[in-house]
Amino acid sequence: AKNAMKQEAQLLMRLSHPNICRLYHYEEDGRVCYLVMEMVEGKSLEELLLGREGGRLPLEEVLPVFNQVASALDHAHGQDPSVLHRDIKPGNIMLHESGFVKITDFGLARWATTSSARSCPRSSGSAGTGWAARMRWPTRRTSCFRGA
């Protein structure tokens, strides 16, 4: 477990993007590991959706969130080797009251190897590196991407 945490810390310290929660320091003290991370104020997209009638956001609120998440993932996937989050969900997307977005919890992240990269779906879109993130949104909240 300690080795996995150190590996995660090495991954996160490489990522510098305004929409990715920063890791500033990793420390080991005997059997205890410490991560010093950026303080992210606000609430998760999951909390926001639960507070909305029908668990939906209007399109004009969804698009800025989606664009910031896509920008952060494009940055992570553009690293050499690529960094894959592997757990993008509303609970790992933090929203400041200003509308600024931060992706958190890269706990399942890993460097993409040739074999893992091949198992990732390719995007046919023109944005970024051509990799598509695997997003598993709960079925009852899928409608948050529809217009009001």
Side-chain angles (χ1 to χ4, degrees):
K2 193 162 115 174
N3 191 34
M5 182 172 272
K6 186 174 185 174
Q7 189 174 28
E8 176 187 349
Q10 291 171 339
L11 270 170
L12 286 176
M13 285 192 278
R14 287 186 10 196
L15 296 177
S16 179
H17 188 276
N19 299 115
I20 296 175
C21 182
R22 293 281 300 162
L23 173 64
Y24 296 116
H25 186 70
Y26 171 82
E27 186 74 33
E28 293 179 12
D29 184 11
R31 296 178 59 188
V32 179
C33 301
Y34 300 93
L35 297 175
V36 180
M37 302 186 78
E38 174 182 9
M39 171 69 170
V40 180
E41 294 185 38
K43 58 176 139 182
S44 70
L45 179 58
E46 180 178 37
E47 291 173 300
L48 181 66
L49 292 172
L50 289 172
R52 297 289 179 102
E53 187 173 328
R56 298 180 183 187
L57 294 178
L59 186 60
E60 61 271 7
E61 289 182 53
V62 170
L63 290 178
V65 171
F66 183 80
N67 286 335
Q68 292 177 71
V69 169
S71 176
L73 293 176
D74 183 57
H75 174 76
H77 295 173
Q79 299 300 300
D80 185 23
S82 294
V83 177
L84 307 178
H85 187 286
R86 299 184 343 143
D87 195 27
I88 292 295
K89 60 186 178 185
N92 289 339
I93 299 170
M94 295 294 294
L95 301 163
H96 188 268
E97 62 185 32
S98 67
F100 197 76
V101 171
K102 290 274 189 181
I103 296 179
T104 63
D105 195 4
F106 272 74
L108 294 178
R110 67 175 180 185
W111 288 289
T113 61
T114 304
S115 61
S116 67
R118 271 191 244 128
S119 69
C120 237
R122 294 285 281 179
S123 168
S124 59
S126 60
T129 61
W131 290 104
R134 294 182 184 196
M135 293 191 190
R136 296 181 308 184
W137 296 90
T139 306
R140 66 188 176 111
R141 291 196 185 89
T142 304
S143 61
C144 71
F145 286 106
R146 295 186 194 143

